[in-house]
Amino acid sequence: MAAKPPSTMEKEQIFGMAEKEMEYRVELFNKLTHTCFNKCVEKRYKESELNMGENSCIDRCVSKYWQVTNLVGQLLGSGQQPM
Amino acid sequence: MAAKPPSTMEKEQIFGMAEKEMEYRVELFNKLTHTCFNKCVEKRYKESELNMGENSCIDRCVSKYWQVTNLVGQLLGSGQQPM
Amino acid sequence: MAAKPPSTMEKEQIFGMAEKEMEYRVELFNKLTHTCFNKCVEKRYKESELNMGENSCIDRCVSKYWQVTNLVGQLLGSGQQPM
Amino acid sequence: MDKSMLGDLDNLPEEDKVRMSTMIDQLQIRDSLRMYNSLVERCFNDCVDSFRRKTLDKQEETCVRRCAEKFLKHSMRVGMRFAELNQGAATQD
Amino acid sequence: MDKSMLGDLDNLPEEDKVRMSTMIDQLQIRDSLRMYNSLVERCFNDCVDSFRRKTLDKQEETCVRRCAEKFLKHSMRVGMRFAELNQGAATQD
Amino acid sequence: MDKSMLGDLDNLPEEDKVRMSTMIDQLQIRDSLRMYNSLVERCFNDCVDSFRRKTLDKQEETCVRRCAEKFLKHSMRVGMRFAELNQGAATQD
């Protein structure tokens, strides 16, 4: 918001936070990917294509995982604020 | 013990060791938490409170996990020393 | 190949790559170790020695895990080149 | 493992203490975010098994809430017991 | 979590942008290597169960290939859906 | 993955070799501590299932000892086989 350039300390904190934030997103994506593969994909590997049922399961799984992420985020955040 | 201030190299090693040590403790706590949740907590989630049985299971689980940590630590440590 | 010393930027990249590469090898070794323990070792722990059957299972397991690593590596690498 | 090292830190100058506390802050941020991720993974796995719709139904949502609350209470209890054991180990020396 | 921070980066001088992009590159390299490792672990676990020989038989090899290809296609699809949801969340603010 | 890079390091000055060996030491310390944690987790999971008392009984203790010893022997054997395969891959080039 302000135009004032950040100090060295602030900069280090911004970089540190940005790094943790990116690690968090990568881990979220990886956990989501592995979880939805476990829930939706047939493991006998009769073919290397995803079939229609698997594809729609994956789409819904990603959507629901996203909602669970938001729901749990609200619960964790509400610790500081009045419920 | 000595009052002599540590050199730059020694300082880097102290910081590196302290960081690894803290990472180790965090990981120990996380593994312990997840393991005892798996062993003690009912997963149908009929309520959001821990009942008496779960609570006493958790206390004992933490205590036993701690003992296993010490026991395995002794076994790993005894590689360098005579048994 | 060239005798020219690397610049500071190049050096940082070499160190960064070397670190990631070593982390990768450590993780490969750990996953391989845990996977082959799960596949080959009897979990009732009637004794603390590995028996002959377990030992030969471990050797074959390591060998097959290595082949799977190479096979998947080829598949991942072939994304950039024509199949 | 090695608790002796923490004693050495008292001898370090002010700037090193700042560096140490920054390191601890960074580890705590990382740990909180990892805990968040693993809590989501756990409660999703335990509560969501049907993929006929793309939104959570009421039952799944209730399950996720209880799972998260129960895990947080569990985690606090483990934290207290863990601290007691750590203290016991420290005073034993 | 906190998207506001990304706005702040525009105010930073050129050298900081370079540092940020180096950091992103490093994280991507680490992530690719981890993905490689976990893909191998998964397909090995799903496809290899017999240890009478020390080389993969034809059936195991086919299974590993399909497993890896299927996982990569799955991963790309998840990536597209994930990006859509991220964009939706960003434009909502 | 890319072994060629290790050749480049010979061209680096002494201070960089020190830095590299410090990095290797740090990774090894981290790896040993992680191994310790995962060994405890594994043997606890395989050996402890009753929570009627807060101390390990004799049978659980014996199980944990054997589990840890067996895992360490296993890990050494895997290490030897792994080294052979790594050497074979290196000399193939």
Side-chain angles (χ1 to χ4, degrees):
Chain A
M1 301 178 190
K4 195 163 67 73
S7 73
T8 311
M9 266 305 271
E10 283 169 358
K11 230 193 255 179
E12 287 309 308
Q13 287 183 339
I14 290 172
F15 275 112
M17 273 306 294
E19 191 182 33
K20 302 294 169 292
E21 164 83 15
M22 282 187 261
E23 283 177 6
Y24 159 76
R25 284 181 185 284
V26 167
E27 200 189 330
L28 166 58
F29 180 75
N30 289 340
K31 280 184 183 295
L32 161 54
T33 304
H34 282 278
T35 301
C36 290
F37 195 85
N38 291 338
K39 296 267 188 192
C40 294
V41 178
E42 196 269 327
K43 304 292 183 308
R44 275 165 302 161
Y45 305 114
K46 289 190 183 164
E47 46 183 9
S48 60
E49 298 298 319
L50 296 166
N51 63 41
M52 235 181 61
E54 289 169 331
N55 272 329
S56 72
C57 178
I58 292 164
D59 292 352
R60 289 164 187 164
C61 182
V62 174
S63 167
K64 284 192 164 186
Y65 199 96
W66 183 264
Q67 287 169 65
V68 171
T69 303
N70 288 334
L71 187 53
V72 172
Q74 282 166 27
L75 288 170
L76 289 178
S78 69
Q80 289 107 317
Q81 302 147 19
M83 289 259 228
Chain B
M1 303 183 187
K4 196 163 66 74
S7 72
T8 311
M9 264 308 269
E10 283 168 357
K11 231 193 257 178
E12 288 309 309
Q13 286 182 340
I14 289 173
F15 275 111
M17 272 306 292
E19 190 182 35
K20 302 294 168 293
E21 164 83 13
M22 283 186 261
E23 283 177 6
Y24 159 76
R25 285 180 185 283
V26 167
E27 201 189 331
L28 166 57
F29 179 76
N30 289 340
K31 281 184 184 295
L32 161 54
T33 304
H34 282 278
T35 301
C36 290
F37 195 85
N38 291 337
K39 296 266 187 191
C40 294
V41 179
E42 195 270 326
K43 303 293 184 307
R44 275 165 302 160
Y45 306 114
K46 288 189 183 165
E47 44 183 9
S48 59
E49 298 298 319
L50 296 166
N51 63 40
M52 236 181 58
E54 288 169 332
N55 273 329
S56 73
C57 179
I58 293 165
D59 292 352
R60 290 165 188 165
C61 182
V62 174
S63 168
K64 284 192 165 186
Y65 198 95
W66 184 264
Q67 287 168 66
V68 171
T69 303
N70 288 333
L71 187 53
V72 172
Q74 282 166 26
L75 288 169
L76 290 177
S78 68
Q80 288 108 316
Q81 303 147 17
M83 287 257 228
Chain C
M1 302 176 190
K4 194 164 67 72
S7 72
T8 310
M9 265 306 271
E10 283 169 358
K11 231 194 257 180
E12 288 309 309
Q13 287 183 339
I14 289 172
F15 275 111
M17 273 306 293
E19 191 183 34
K20 303 294 169 293
E21 164 82 13
M22 282 186 263
E23 284 177 5
Y24 159 77
R25 282 179 186 284
V26 167
E27 200 189 330
L28 166 58
F29 179 75
N30 289 340
K31 280 185 184 296
L32 161 54
T33 305
H34 283 277
T35 301
C36 290
F37 195 85
N38 291 338
K39 297 265 188 192
C40 293
V41 179
E42 196 269 327
K43 304 293 183 306
R44 276 165 301 160
Y45 304 115
K46 288 188 186 165
E47 46 182 7
S48 60
E49 297 299 318
L50 297 165
N51 62 40
M52 235 181 61
E54 288 169 332
N55 272 329
S56 72
C57 178
I58 292 164
D59 293 352
R60 290 165 188 163
C61 181
V62 174
S63 167
K64 283 192 165 185
Y65 198 96
W66 183 265
Q67 287 169 66
V68 171
T69 302
N70 288 334
L71 188 52
V72 172
Q74 282 167 27
L75 288 170
L76 290 177
S78 69
Q80 288 107 316
Q81 302 148 15
M83 290 258 230
Chain D
M1 315 249 9
D2 184 22
K3 284 145 213 148
S4 62
M5 155 187 68
L6 296 169
D8 290 333
L9 292 177
D10 293 336
N11 295 332
L12 297 178
E14 195 55 36
E15 57 174 276
D16 292 335
K17 286 179 190 163
V18 171
R19 187 176 154 192
M20 188 61 82
S21 90
T22 306
M23 192 175 80
I24 294 172
D25 288 350
Q26 294 286 316
L27 285 175
Q28 281 180 338
I29 292 168
R30 175 177 288 163
D31 183 48
S32 307
L33 292 173
R34 282 191 182 160
M35 198 275 271
Y36 179 22
N37 262 328
S38 66
L39 185 54
V40 169
E41 185 185 32
R42 170 182 290 278
C43 296
F44 183 88
N45 268 317
D46 285 356
C47 296
V48 184
D49 262 317
S50 147
F51 298 98
R52 299 210 190 134
R53 300 169 61 220
K54 66 172 203 168
T55 49
L56 295 175
D57 62 34
K58 202 66 211 158
Q59 201 185 326
E60 288 167 332
E61 203 181 305
T62 306
C63 180
V64 168
R65 274 182 204 282
R66 286 179 183 161
C67 168
E69 284 171 17
K70 216 167 175 176
F71 189 86
L72 292 174
K73 282 166 194 161
H74 166 75
S75 184
M76 279 176 55
R77 189 170 187 101
V78 170
M80 288 191 308
R81 294 294 161 265
F82 191 67
E84 288 167 11
L85 289 166
N86 262 308
Q87 281 186 332
T91 52
Q92 260 185 323
D93 297 335
Chain E
M1 312 246 16
D2 184 25
K3 284 145 213 146
S4 62
M5 157 188 65
L6 296 170
D8 290 335
L9 292 177
D10 291 337
N11 295 333
L12 298 178
E14 194 55 35
E15 58 175 274
D16 292 335
K17 286 180 189 163
V18 171
R19 186 175 154 191
M20 188 62 82
S21 90
T22 306
M23 191 174 80
I24 293 171
D25 289 350
Q26 294 286 317
L27 285 175
Q28 281 180 337
I29 291 167
R30 175 177 288 164
D31 183 50
S32 307
L33 292 173
R34 283 192 182 160
M35 198 275 271
Y36 179 21
N37 262 327
S38 66
L39 185 55
V40 170
E41 186 185 31
R42 170 183 290 279
C43 295
F44 182 88
N45 267 317
D46 286 356
C47 295
V48 184
D49 262 316
S50 147
F51 299 98
R52 298 211 192 134
R53 300 167 61 218
K54 66 171 205 169
T55 49
L56 295 174
D57 62 34
K58 204 65 210 158
Q59 203 185 323
E60 289 167 331
E61 202 181 306
T62 307
C63 179
V64 168
R65 275 183 202 282
R66 286 178 182 160
C67 168
E69 284 171 17
K70 216 166 176 178
F71 189 86
L72 293 174
K73 282 167 192 160
H74 166 75
S75 184
M76 279 176 56
R77 189 168 188 104
V78 170
M80 288 192 308
R81 295 295 161 262
F82 191 68
E84 289 167 11
L85 288 166
N86 262 308
Q87 281 185 333
T91 53
Q92 259 184 325
D93 296 335
Chain F
M1 311 244 20
D2 184 24
K3 283 145 216 147
S4 61
M5 156 188 66
L6 296 170
D8 290 334
L9 293 176
D10 291 337
N11 295 333
L12 298 179
E14 194 55 36
E15 58 174 275
D16 292 336
K17 285 179 190 164
V18 171
R19 186 175 155 192
M20 187 62 81
S21 90
T22 305
M23 192 173 80
I24 293 171
D25 288 349
Q26 294 286 316
L27 286 175
Q28 280 179 338
I29 292 168
R30 174 176 289 163
D31 184 48
S32 307
L33 291 172
R34 284 191 181 159
M35 198 275 271
Y36 180 21
N37 263 327
S38 66
L39 185 54
V40 170
E41 185 185 32
R42 170 183 290 279
C43 296
F44 182 88
N45 267 317
D46 286 356
C47 295
V48 184
D49 262 317
S50 147
F51 299 98
R52 299 211 190 134
R53 299 169 62 220
K54 67 171 203 170
T55 49
L56 295 175
D57 62 33
K58 204 66 212 158
Q59 202 185 324
E60 288 168 332
E61 204 182 304
T62 306
C63 179
V64 168
R65 274 182 204 282
R66 286 179 183 160
C67 168
E69 283 172 17
K70 216 167 175 177
F71 189 86
L72 292 174
K73 281 166 194 161
H74 166 75
S75 184
M76 279 177 55
R77 190 170 186 103
V78 170
M80 288 191 311
R81 294 296 161 262
F82 191 69
E84 288 168 12
L85 288 166
N86 262 309
Q87 280 185 334
T91 52
Q92 259 186 326
D93 297 334

